[in-house]
Amino acid sequence: QVQLVESGGGLVQAGGSLRLSCAASGRSFSSYAMGWFRQAPGKEREFVAAIGWSGTTAYADSVKGRATISRDNARNTVYLQMNSLKPEDTAAYYCNADLSMSQLTSGRGASWGQGTQVTVSS
């Protein structure tokens, strides 16, 4: 497994942008599918975006066209660039890792970070 630490959250006005980062420690980062989930108060955790070891990406419909997930294997880091932020994007954002892209996107990924809070004001 890998250990994950998220950063980059904060308070931003609607229409603004943020870039979240997730630093991974452990072996074979490049072999892992990496992803982002989010959880708003009173709601279930939901999938946001994922990137496979080959660079294949997947996005939730709610962020498609506004979010870009990328990875830097040399830095063991995955990024989530979020643009045109909306108040409904307010949530704790969690990084996730798994050797299986399908496991990850279904929410059954093996490793989770502690989360970083994103708050979008209207």
Side-chain angles (χ1 to χ4, degrees):
Q1 290 191 359
V2 294
Q3 289 74 50
L4 306 172
V5 178
E6 303 95 334
S7 62
L11 174 64
V12 63
Q13 287 189 332
S17 298
L18 277 178
R19 188 176 80 156
L20 306 182
S21 300
C22 172
S25 60
R27 298 168 59 181
S28 304
F29 171 81
S30 61
S31 300
Y32 281 81
M34 301 295 297
W36 291 91
F37 284 72
R38 67 187 181 186
Q39 187 167 20
K43 295 188 177 181
E44 292 188 357
R45 189 173 294 186
E46 64 175 4
F47 170 74
V48 177
I51 184 166
W53 62 268
S54 64
T56 301
T57 58
Y59 296 94
D61 287 344
S62 58
V63 303
K64 203 169 289 183
R66 301 189 296 119
T68 302
I69 189 169
S70 61
R71 65 191 299 159
D72 185 340
N73 289 337
R75 290 182 166 82
N76 282 13
T77 301
V78 63
Y79 305 98
L80 181 68
Q81 176 71 40
M82 295 279 292
N83 301 322
S84 302
L85 283 161
K86 306 174 182 180
E88 49 264 45
D89 293 318
T90 295
Y93 283 71
Y94 297 90
C95 185
N96 188 214
D98 199 277
L99 291 171
S100 165
M101 182 77 156
S102 61
Q103 284 282 99
L104 186 149
T105 55
S106 65
R108 298 193 298 269
S111 301
W112 292 89
Q114 294 298 308
T116 186
Q117 179 67 36
V118 172
T119 303
V120 184
S121 63
S122 56

